[in-house]
Amino acid sequence: MALADLGRNVRRYMKLQKLSIPQLAEKSGLGTATLSNILNEKASPNSSTLIKISTALGVSFPELLAETPKLKTLRFRTNTKLTAREVAERDQLEIDSAIWLKNYVSLEELTGKKSNYKLKKVVSKDPKEAAKEVRKIFNIKEEAPVYDIVSLIENAGIKLYLHDFNFQKTFGLSVNEEDGGPAIIVNNNENISVERKIFTIAHELGHLILHKTSFNGEFAEENETEEKEADTFAAEFLMPEKAFIKQWEAHSGISWVDAVLQIKQYFGVSYKTVLYRLNSLIGDRFKPGYLYIEFAKLYRQKYGHDLKNNYEPKSISEMVPATDEPAELSSFSFTEERFERLVRLAYEQEKITISRAAEILNLSATEMRERVAEWL
C-alpha cells in the first residue's frame, strides 16, 4: 500500500463529500491528529482504521487503497475557476480515464489487436484545411454527413471513452500517444444531447491534430485561440462550408428556424453548430451572440420552448423509429463497442479471467456471468 495514494484518495473523497478533517474524524470515530497524519503520509494505518475511514466515506476498501494513476499528456481545459469539490471531481475523472486507458492498452496487447493511428499524416495547422484532409482520409464525400463518427474515430486508431462523469463543466478531454492514446473522453451524461457529444468528439479531434504541444498533463484555463480553432475544425469536419451553403440554399423558401432544424437533421449536428457555421459565413454583420438569441426567441414563439437546460430540438437522442422520421436522421449512430469487443476476445482467448473481465467493465460477478451467457 502506497501512503501517497491512500492520502490522495482520502482527500479526494473528502472533497467530493465536502467533509473537513473534524467532520470525518467525527464520522469515523478517529482523532483529528490520526487523520492528519494519514493525509500527510506520516502514518501507516492498520486495517481497522482503514475500515473506519472507508465506512465513513461510503467507499469500498479497494477504492480507498487504489493506485491513483496520472496522465502525462492529458489535455483538460476549463474557462471557470473550480471549487474544491470540482477539483476532486476533475481528479476522479483523470483517474477513471487513466485506468480505462491502461486497460485498453493491455487488452490490445493481450489480443494482438492494436490499432495504428492513421491521422499522423495530417500536418496542416489551418483548421479548415486539416478538416478537409481528415475527411479525405476517411473517404467522406464533400457533401456527405458524418453518419458514424464513433466508428470513424476508432478505425483511425483513436480510443474513445463514452463516460458519464460527474463533472459538469466540461464536455470532453483528450490524451496524446505517450499515454497509450490518442484518446478522446466524452461526457456521456444522459442530459447532454447526442449532437453535442458528436461535436465534442470532432472538437477534441481538432485539438489532437492542431495543438499537439498543448498535451502536457496540466490543468489550465481555456486558450481562446485554440478553442476557436478546434470549433472551426469541428464545424468544417461535420458540415463542410460548400455542403452547408448548398443545404441552406435548398431550404431558402421556409422559415429561418425551420431551415436551421432541417440542416441540423441532415448533418446530425446541434442547432448551435448550424448557427456557428452560419455566423462564420456572415462575418461581422451582427453583434456576437445575436443569431443564438434570435433563434431562441423565434423558436419559443413557434414551438413554445426556451431551449434552456441543454435542450436540443429534434434531437437524435429523442428519435424513435417511425415512417415520418427523416431518412438522414435515422442513419446516425452513437455507440462505442470496440472496448467491450476486446474484453470478450481476451476472455475467450483465456487471456483474462471472468473476474478480471468484470473488473474492467465495472460489472458485478453476477452481471458478468449474465453478459457471458448472452454472447453468441
Side-chain angles (χ1 to χ4, degrees):
M1 176 183 64
L3 290 178
D5 288 331
L6 173 61
R8 282 194 291 266
N9 286 336
V10 173
R11 285 185 187 278
R12 187 174 69 259
Y13 290 124
M14 286 174 64
K15 288 178 182 177
L16 288 171
Q17 298 181 36
K18 297 182 178 180
L19 291 176
S20 64
I21 291 179
Q23 288 171 327
L24 180 57
E26 183 177 352
K27 287 189 68 174
S28 64
L30 299 171
T32 55
T34 299
L35 286 174
S36 294
N37 285 336
I38 293 172
L39 292 172
N40 294 315
E41 304 166 31
K42 294 180 180 179
S44 181
N46 56 35
S47 57
S48 64
T49 298
L50 292 175
I51 290 172
K52 290 178 181 179
I53 295 174
S54 65
T55 301
L57 291 172
V59 300
S60 68
F61 203 77
E63 286 176 309
L64 200 62
L65 302 178
E67 178 186 358
T68 53
K70 289 286 185 181
L71 292 169
K72 297 178 182 178
T73 61
L74 174 70
R75 189 185 193 283
F76 181 100
R77 300 291 185 270
T78 181
N79 60 1
T80 56
K81 188 175 181 179
L82 304 183
T83 65
R85 181 188 175 91
E86 288 169 341
V87 169
E89 291 172 343
R90 179 203 65 193
D91 292 346
Q92 185 62 52
L93 173 58
E94 180 184 8
I95 291 169
D96 292 342
S97 300
I99 293 172
W100 163 79
L101 193 50
K102 183 179 179 180
N103 286 332
Y104 208 135
V105 171
S106 175
L107 289 168
E108 285 187 325
E109 293 174 347
L110 289 171
T111 60
K113 295 293 183 180
K114 181 174 174 56
S115 182
N116 294 321
Y117 183 39
K118 299 176 182 177
L119 301 182
K120 285 184 177 181
K121 61 181 76 173
V122 182
V123 296
S124 176
K125 294 302 178 184
D126 178 86
K128 291 185 178 180
E129 291 304 314
K132 291 176 183 178
E133 287 185 53
V134 173
R135 286 180 65 94
K136 187 174 181 180
I137 292 172
F138 287 157
N139 197 29
I140 305 173
K141 293 180 180 179
E142 185 176 31
E143 296 181 4
V146 179
Y147 287 120
D148 191 355
I149 193 170
V150 172
S151 293
L152 288 173
I153 290 297
E154 293 189 323
N155 290 336
I158 300 172
K159 299 174 177 64
L160 186 62
Y161 189 21
L162 305 180
H163 180 44
D164 183 357
F165 44 82
N166 188 31
F167 187 80
Q168 303 304 314
K169 289 192 175 180
T170 187
F171 291 105
L173 51 147
S174 41
V175 183
N176 222 329
E177 293 178 80
E178 186 180 339
D179 283 309
I184 295 173
I185 296 94
V186 179
N187 192 340
N188 202 33
N189 187 278
E190 63 180 7
N191 294 322
I192 301 173
S193 71
V194 172
E195 290 89 339
R196 173 70 249 195
K197 296 170 187 176
I198 289 172
F199 188 85
T200 296
I201 294 175
H203 177 92
E204 293 300 327
L205 178 61
H207 284 310
L208 284 169
I209 292 172
L210 300 169
H211 308 131
K212 295 181 176 67
T213 58
S214 67
F215 287 79
N216 52 21
E218 297 179 359
F219 297 117
E221 292 183 4
E222 286 185 353
N223 180 301
E224 186 176 345
T225 299
E226 290 185 352
E227 295 306 311
K228 186 175 181 179
E229 289 175 347
D231 282 344
T232 301
F233 172 93
E236 183 67 28
F237 174 70
L238 295 170
M239 194 167 43
E241 184 174 314
K242 290 183 180 179
F244 172 81
I245 293 174
K246 182 176 180 179
Q247 286 296 315
W248 188 261
E249 291 175 347
H251 297 294
S252 60
I254 61 177
S255 73
W256 182 60
V257 168
D258 287 334
V260 171
L261 297 178
Q262 288 289 333
I263 293 172
K264 79 170 284 300
Q265 286 184 285
Y266 178 81
F267 287 105
V269 298
S270 69
Y271 77 91
K272 289 184 178 180
T273 304
V274 177
L275 296 177
Y276 179 87
R277 166 57 82 194
L278 183 61
N279 191 67
S280 69
L281 293 177
I282 62 178
D284 300 326
R285 194 182 308 174
F286 300 110
K287 294 180 180 180
Y290 172 80
L291 290 182
Y292 302 92
I293 296 171
E294 188 67 11
F295 181 85
K297 182 181 74 175
L298 295 175
Y299 187 88
R300 183 173 60 252
Q301 290 174 358
K302 188 165 188 177
Y303 293 106
H305 197 289
D306 59 12
L307 299 178
K308 292 181 180 179
N309 299 319
N310 295 318
Y311 178 75
E312 183 65 44
K314 293 186 179 293
S315 175
I316 298 171
S317 57
E318 296 175 349
M319 183 190 71
V320 293
T323 56
D324 60 349
E325 283 294 343
E328 297 87 356
L329 189 64
S330 63
S331 302
F332 286 88
S333 173
F334 196 79
T335 305
E336 189 282 320
E337 299 180 3
R338 185 170 186 263
F339 184 73
E340 294 194 15
R341 287 201 305 270
L342 289 173
V343 173
R344 174 177 178 172
L345 184 59
Y347 172 73
E348 292 179 339
Q349 291 179 348
E350 298 184 347
K351 300 292 178 63
I352 61 174
T353 64
I354 192 170
S355 60
R356 175 61 178 145
E359 179 187 4
I360 292 173
L361 295 177
N362 195 29
L363 298 174
S364 69
T366 300
E367 290 171 331
M368 191 66 228
R369 285 192 293 269
E370 291 174 349
R371 175 72 62 87
V372 172
E374 292 172 357
W375 291 341
L376 300 177

